Amino acid sequence: MEPLLSVRDLRVRFGPVTAVDGVSFDVLPGETVAVVGESGSGKSVTMQAVMGLLPRGAEVTGSIVYDGRDLLARPIAETRKLCGTELAMIFQDPLSSLNPVFRVGRQISESLVRRRGASRKQGRAHAVDLMRRVGIPDPERRVDDFPHQFSGGMRQRAMIAMALSLGPRLLIADEPTTALDVTVQAQIMRLLADLRRETGMGLALITHDLGVVAGVADRVVLMYAGRVVETGTTREVYDHQAHPYTEGLLLSVPDDTGRADHLVPIPGQPPNPLRPPGGCPFHPRCRYAIDVCRADAPVLVDLAGRPDGHRTACHRPEAVGA
Amino acid sequence: MLAYLVRRLAYSVFVLWGAVTIVFVVLRVVPGDPALVILGPDADRAQVLRLRHTMGLDQPLLVQYGHYLIDVVQLHFGTSIRLGGDAMGQILLRLPATAELAVAAVVFAVTVGIGLGTAAAVRPNTWLDRAISVFTLVIQSTPTFWAGLVLLLVFARQLRVLPSEGAHGWQNVILPAITLGLGFLAMVTRLTRSGLLEVSNEPYLSTVRAKGLGERIVIFPHAMRNALIPVVTVIGLYLGSVLGGTVVIETVFSWPGAGRLIADSISYRDYNVVQAGVILIAALFVVVNLVVDLLYGLIDPRVRLGGER
Amino acid sequence: MTATLTATPVRVRTERKPGTVRIVGSLAVVCFYALCAAFGPVLFRFDPVAVDTRNRLLPPMSHTSGGHLVLFGTDQVGQDLLAKMMQGARVSMTIGISALLLSGLIGLVLGIVAGYFGGPLDSLLMRLADIQLAFPGILLAILIAAVLGPSVTNVIVVLSISGWVTFARVTRGQVLATKRREYVDATRTLGARHWHVVRTCILPACRAPFLVIAALHIGDVILAEASLSFLGLGTPVTTPSWGTTIASGRDLLGTAWWISAIPGIGLAVLVVAFGVLGDALRDRFDPKLAGR
């Protein structure tokens, strides 16, 4: 199957800082890919690059192929045209991501009104429909409310409604549940999964929380210090981790039983983006590090003996989890 | 919301009362003998005494104040010595001309100011931004009456593009309106620029971009609508420079408004008219401030409506 | 090409304290004006009542019958406009500084009283400030000057009245902030008198904001004086200030434009200098101070 989105060797630099350092991954139509990493791993910047939302002064190289077209090889106006129609994005904090002075309904239907020439009335009806679809109760009345009159979970549902407005084929969700209560988190994740099934759109889920990923994602892409360190189907990566970072992450997350007695945090700190360590960026925190790790940066390669698509960037994948 | 409105209104009435009292103090108490001030130093004693009696100056101060308050409330400001007729009536007759000028000045200042402020905000620290900063600084530093004279000189005398006197036709409004609005223009420009820069970091602007809507939409209405909210809170004060400036500007351009009447009446010592004019302008200012205050409550939906439902 | 509304990029801070260039530059301009004001009229032997009809209304850069070069031309009675402007500088700056000192003093005293004693006295003074602010722009100044008549003293008094509010508010704020701080209580318990507290704790704290406000305010005062003089309510005609000079040239705009035009430029440059000085001082001392 042709991938919906294919990112190859993406590099993003802000002056001396390299935020994304050679990232490659695919999203197939209708699949959910989780991009996992700590803050500073470059996961958000990668997606901003896809959407053409990087601030001025960012240098971008590599290729971002959507639907057969390399977005980076074309003027940014083309990417902007795809935003909202084919590509949609929702953000972390729905309170600050919604304009406080405009009614929610107006913001949901804004794309339809401005880009498809719908009237205000048509837009309002459209917004009510979408709000009902994402599970906002009493949409007829709430469509005229302002963002501050919604609860956190409702606001995120409104943002999802806004993203769905023109029927995108790929939805990018940047930490959609981080700012929400735990109970609401599960609801929102379930909503996203349901919507994906209904519409057949692809979902790129950015998160630092492995717990959220398990039931939702088909594949995971783990990022560290601006690079992809491991990728594969969720089952594969969870059961057969092939990178010390993945192992560390899984050890530091409570399992299904919720027991926290075996939690082991990863020692050390994320690397300083101005002075990255030589060789493998993870080596200062890695318990399996050997000399070659300090000298040579490992490349993302297929894991020998494991199913296709399970790749890792490590010199000693066999040592992990052994 | 309603309680706030009532409180604010009551306070405005209080401030207005205070202003009226200050005018009383200035006109009756400050000069040694108001009658002497009106008639001039060469008036003979009998005239002065007669005028003192007519003005009620021979009565105790508090009684004078009481009569004064009653008169003010009824808009009785006496007769105009110079023009005849009711003092307040003369002022009100010319008020439409002043209003026309003031409105034109504000419209000019707001449209140009928002435009310049936006231009500066989308390219901060570029030569354009700095040029606009210098421009506003220079405008705020030049005396407005002088700016008016220079504009007159350039456009009316030298280039003969615009008329220099009179008030018929829109061409006549241009120069005085621009002059009157200059100070306000500088303020609007600065506030728009700083307001836009403050909201430029807000995440909801990223959301607009993520919807594929162009930068124009990001700025207007999304950023602008938020950026101007704090501007409204301070704008009332600067509108005062427009109101107060009418006295000087109307004099420069011989504009037949209430401001020029006040200035002329001062020269002729027609203090009834001066009193009427000053109190009217102060009252207008108090009303403007009240309206602007209440406007803030209306334009920010977070203030207007409650929290979560 | 679309311009994006992006956040201001962070610039690397230089070692020098912010605004030094602006402070030095504007102070240089102000000093230049002060020197001209102090020595100019003497050097040019300016006599306010001298009349020299042979040399009236000469354009700038021309020569008088006596062979002198008049840089800015002459006025309707033959006076060298440059000399007259220097005299005007003397008048305007004296008035400006005096009014500033007076309103600063009044504001300081009233602010301390309001902040220190609080209660009804504080309320009264703050209400008075609000009431005074009900008069837009220079309307109050015009009213009082109209009654008092044109004279230098009157102008100074009138302009001080308009200015005390900001100083009072700042002082009051400092007093209230200082009242709460620990060491004030400590000094109090040691038996120090109120005046000592004022002198050691409150006054030093007021110094920086006062300087900023003063620099910004003196420009307004100079402009206000010019406006009053223009209306005939400021300095008497015998004391030429920039405002009266500009006013006198009003009827001659078409023929002798320099009489009105040039003093205005001189005025603007000085006020700009004060404005730059005030902004630079504010940036250095406290960027959070509410600005114009």
Side-chain angles (χ1 to χ4, degrees):
Chain A
M1 207 182 348
E2 272 298 310
L4 190 57
L5 177 72
S6 183
V7 175
R8 290 281 176 273
D9 281 322
L10 183 67
R11 264 188 187 76
V12 180
R13 262 185 291 261
F14 299 106
V17 175
T18 304
V20 177
D21 195 8
V23 163
S24 306
F25 65 90
D26 289 338
V27 178
L28 299 171
E31 87 169 330
T32 302
V33 173
V35 180
V36 182
E38 313 164 304
S39 41
S41 57
K43 53 193 196 298
S44 286
V45 176
T46 304
M47 288 312 170
Q48 284 168 5
V50 171
M51 294 282 287
L53 288 178
L54 290 173
R56 241 200 304 229
E59 300 165 45
V60 188
T61 54
S63 75
I64 298 176
V65 178
Y66 176 80
D67 214 21
R69 285 168 293 173
D70 183 1
L71 300 180
L72 288 182
R74 294 175 183 242
I76 197 146
E78 271 197 40
T79 314
R80 286 294 175 88
K81 251 201 292 198
L82 290 176
C83 292
T85 48
E86 304 259 336
L87 307 166
M89 192 160 178
I90 62 176
F91 300 91
Q92 178 173 329
D93 180 10
L95 179 57
S96 50
S97 298
L98 286 170
N99 196 327
V101 301
F102 292 140
R103 298 178 200 274
V104 169
R106 173 179 167 172
Q107 296 187 54
I108 292 178
S109 61
E110 188 174 19
S111 294
L112 193 74
V113 168
R114 286 193 192 276
R115 301 183 72 177
R116 299 279 187 266
S119 70
R120 283 288 182 109
K121 232 164 68 138
Q122 288 170 323
R124 193 173 181 281
H126 177 70
V128 171
D129 258 348
L130 285 168
M131 286 169 76
R132 194 172 290 124
R133 201 162 151 211
V134 298
I136 298 178
D138 201 6
E140 288 285 347
R141 203 169 51 102
R142 310 218 66 177
V143 71
D144 291 323
D145 279 350
F146 290 91
H148 71 277
Q149 293 173 289
F150 279 51
S151 69
M154 289 299 143
R155 274 194 289 266
Q156 195 59 291
R157 289 177 195 265
M159 285 227 57
I160 295 173
M162 184 159 57
L164 293 179
S165 178
L166 296 179
R169 284 205 281 159
L170 175 65
L171 174 64
I172 303 174
D174 190 350
E175 309 240 27
T177 55
T178 310
L180 304 173
D181 288 338
V182 174
T183 43
V184 180
Q185 280 181 14
Q187 291 172 8
I188 297 296
M189 290 312 305
R190 207 164 340 140
L191 173 64
L192 283 174
D194 289 343
L195 287 170
R196 199 200 51 72
R197 243 193 327 271
E198 277 171 36
T199 59
M201 66 185 179
L203 176 62
L205 180 65
I206 306 173
T207 179
H208 65 272
D209 186 355
L210 266 184
V212 147
V213 167
V216 177
D218 299 316
R219 286 192 301 118
V220 293
V221 174
L222 288 125
M223 285 184 66
Y224 185 83
R227 288 173 223 218
V228 176
V229 293
E230 185 168 0
T231 176
T233 61
T234 317
R235 189 84 268 161
E236 258 296 301
V237 173
Y238 268 66
D239 290 344
H240 305 277
Q241 310 109 56
H243 194 282
Y245 180 57
T246 316
E247 180 192 52
L249 272 185
L250 285 170
L251 281 178
S252 64
V253 171
D255 62 11
D256 288 345
T257 62
R259 273 175 38 213
D261 42 330
H262 292 301
L263 286 187
V264 181
I266 307 176
Q269 301 285 340
N272 180 349
L274 280 170
R275 265 178 313 195
C280 172
F282 190 69
H283 85 255
R285 306 168 78 180
C286 180
R287 55 204 272 231
Y288 306 110
I290 51 178
D291 285 332
V292 62
C293 301
R294 279 176 265 276
D296 286 333
V299 178
L300 192 69
V301 290
D302 286 313
L303 199 53
R306 302 304 316 169
D308 248 3
H310 189 172
R311 299 198 188 89
T312 181
C314 181
H315 292 298
R316 301 184 63 196
E318 68 288 346
V320 177
Chain B
M1 183 64 195
L2 190 64
Y4 177 70
L5 200 138
V6 169
R7 250 185 308 138
R8 198 60 193 78
L9 195 63
Y11 193 67
S12 294
V13 171
F14 166 75
V15 168
L16 198 52
W17 163 81
V20 163
T21 307
I22 288 186
V23 174
F24 174 80
V25 167
V26 171
L27 285 181
R28 296 290 177 97
V29 177
V30 167
D33 185 347
L36 202 60
V37 175
I38 292 178
L39 291 176
D42 329 295
D44 76 70
R45 186 130 182 82
Q47 267 185 313
V48 175
L49 281 175
R50 237 196 333 266
L51 187 56
R52 282 184 63 89
H53 185 72
T54 321
M55 288 175 68
L57 293 173
D58 41 9
Q59 294 175 324
L61 206 61
L62 272 176
V63 175
Q64 289 184 48
Y65 182 55
H67 285 171
Y68 172 78
L69 280 182
I70 296 173
D71 284 338
V72 166
V73 169
Q74 296 177 311
L75 295 184
H76 289 165
F77 285 90
T79 343
S80 163
I81 297 176
R82 185 166 72 101
L83 303 162
D86 183 37
M88 183 53 99
Q90 292 290 345
I91 291 279
L92 290 175
L93 204 62
R94 290 165 183 73
L95 198 59
T98 300
E100 180 188 339
L101 189 58
V103 167
V106 169
V107 166
F108 158 72
V110 168
T111 44
V112 176
I114 289 186
L116 284 179
T118 308
V122 295
R123 292 178 211 273
N125 300 318
T126 55
W127 71 267
L128 181 66
D129 183 23
R130 290 193 218 277
I132 292 178
S133 277
V134 169
F135 178 65
T136 55
L137 177 63
V138 169
I139 285 184
Q140 285 177 310
S141 306
T142 51
T144 44
F145 64 90
W146 178 81
L149 287 176
V150 168
L151 285 176
L152 258 183
L153 182 64
V154 171
F155 289 97
R157 298 279 161 79
Q158 301 294 88
L159 301 179
R160 293 185 197 283
V161 178
L162 294 166
S164 53
E165 279 191 339
H168 35 266
W170 61 270
Q171 297 102 312
N172 284 281
V173 171
I174 294 183
L175 286 182
I178 290 178
T179 313
L180 186 59
L182 281 178
F184 196 55
L185 164 69
M187 260 351 273
V188 171
T189 305
R190 283 195 178 206
L191 290 172
T192 303
R193 177 188 181 275
S194 63
L196 278 177
L197 284 179
E198 268 209 41
V199 301
S200 59
N201 267 337
E202 292 288 344
Y204 54 80
L205 295 182
S206 291
T207 307
V208 178
R209 290 192 187 101
K211 288 199 277 195
L213 301 170
E215 273 314 295
R216 216 236 351 128
I217 310 259
V218 171
I219 298 173
F220 188 83
H222 283 271
M224 190 68 78
R225 188 70 174 63
N226 281 277
L228 291 183
I229 291 180
V231 170
V232 168
T233 59
V234 294
I235 219 64
L237 220 59
Y238 299 111
L239 278 172
S241 74
V242 173
L243 275 178
T246 53
V247 176
V248 176
I249 301 300
E250 287 183 11
T251 306
V252 171
F253 288 91
S254 307
W255 185 265
R260 193 177 75 153
L261 181 61
I262 294 176
D264 289 343
S265 303
I266 290 177
S267 315
Y268 286 99
R269 302 209 186 106
D270 194 354
Y271 287 115
N272 287 336
V273 175
V274 175
Q275 186 176 262
V278 170
I279 289 181
L280 183 66
I281 292 186
L284 281 174
F285 189 42
V286 169
V287 168
V288 163
N289 273 324
L290 179 66
V291 167
V292 167
D293 251 4
L294 296 178
L295 215 63
Y296 174 74
L298 288 173
I299 60 177
D300 188 344
R302 288 165 291 192
V303 173
R304 179 158 49 112
L305 305 162
E308 259 178 63
R309 286 221 234 151
Chain C
M1 175 173 67
T2 47
T4 45
L5 189 66
T6 48
T8 326
V10 175
R11 275 180 306 173
V12 181
R13 282 251 179 237
T14 50
E15 287 307 325
R16 201 170 40 191
K17 276 173 94 168
T20 311
V21 175
R22 288 186 291 163
I23 292 179
V24 170
S26 50
L27 270 179
V29 173
V30 170
C31 285
F32 173 69
Y33 271 77
L35 285 173
C36 288
F39 300 114
V42 173
L43 283 174
F44 279 81
R45 280 182 279 262
F46 179 76
D47 180 1
V49 298
V51 168
D52 184 5
T53 44
R54 272 174 312 159
N55 288 310
R56 60 194 299 270
L57 299 178
L58 292 173
M61 303 296 283
S62 50
H63 291 265
T64 62
S65 54
H68 301 129
L69 173 70
V70 281
L71 205 58
F72 292 147
T74 59
D75 68 1
Q76 52 272 73
V77 294
Q79 297 271 21
D80 181 355
L81 192 64
L82 176 59
K84 199 169 179 188
M85 274 176 65
M86 298 221 187
Q87 176 70 14
R90 183 183 276 195
V91 172
S92 293
M93 289 189 81
T94 314
I95 292 179
I97 294 174
S98 310
L100 189 73
L101 288 175
L102 191 55
S103 59
L105 195 62
I106 296 176
L108 186 71
V109 169
L110 290 181
I112 289 178
V113 164
Y116 219 95
F117 295 113
L121 198 55
D122 182 19
S123 269
L124 179 71
L125 282 169
M126 290 304 108
R127 297 308 139 241
L128 189 63
D130 283 342
I131 291 173
Q132 185 173 319
L133 290 177
F135 292 91
I138 53 171
L139 200 64
L140 184 60
I142 289 177
L143 181 70
I144 300 177
V147 169
L148 292 176
S151 92
V152 173
T153 330
N154 290 344
V155 173
I156 294 176
V157 168
V158 164
L159 293 177
S160 328
I161 292 178
S162 348
W164 70 271
V165 176
T166 330
F167 289 111
R169 286 222 170 109
V170 165
T171 314
R172 176 179 175 270
Q174 289 294 345
V175 171
L176 291 179
T178 316
K179 261 197 332 188
R180 290 180 200 126
R181 269 188 247 138
E182 307 291 340
Y183 63 88
V184 175
D185 289 321
T187 343
R188 194 94 62 85
T189 59
L190 287 175
R193 285 174 22 240
H194 291 309
W195 172 240
H196 179 75
V197 169
V198 165
R199 215 158 35 90
T200 51
C201 302
I202 295 174
L203 286 183
C206 287
R207 207 180 298 144
F210 260 52
L211 273 179
V212 174
I213 295 172
L216 294 174
H217 186 61
I218 195 171
D220 289 337
V221 169
I222 292 177
L223 285 176
E225 180 269 312
S227 295
L228 286 177
S229 299
F230 176 77
L231 289 176
L233 297 171
T235 58
V237 195
T238 49
T239 319
S241 73
W242 284 325
T244 52
T245 311
I246 297 176
S248 70
R250 196 177 151 207
D251 296 322
L252 296 162
L253 265 187
T255 47
W257 55 269
W258 53 90
I259 301 178
S260 285
I262 296 181
I265 298 178
L267 224 178
V269 168
L270 181 62
V271 176
V272 165
F274 276 120
V276 169
L277 180 65
D279 275 346
L281 283 176
R282 180 184 59 218
D283 287 345
R284 171 175 284 204
F285 289 135
D286 182 5
K288 298 194 303 280
L289 261 182
R292 307 208 292 191

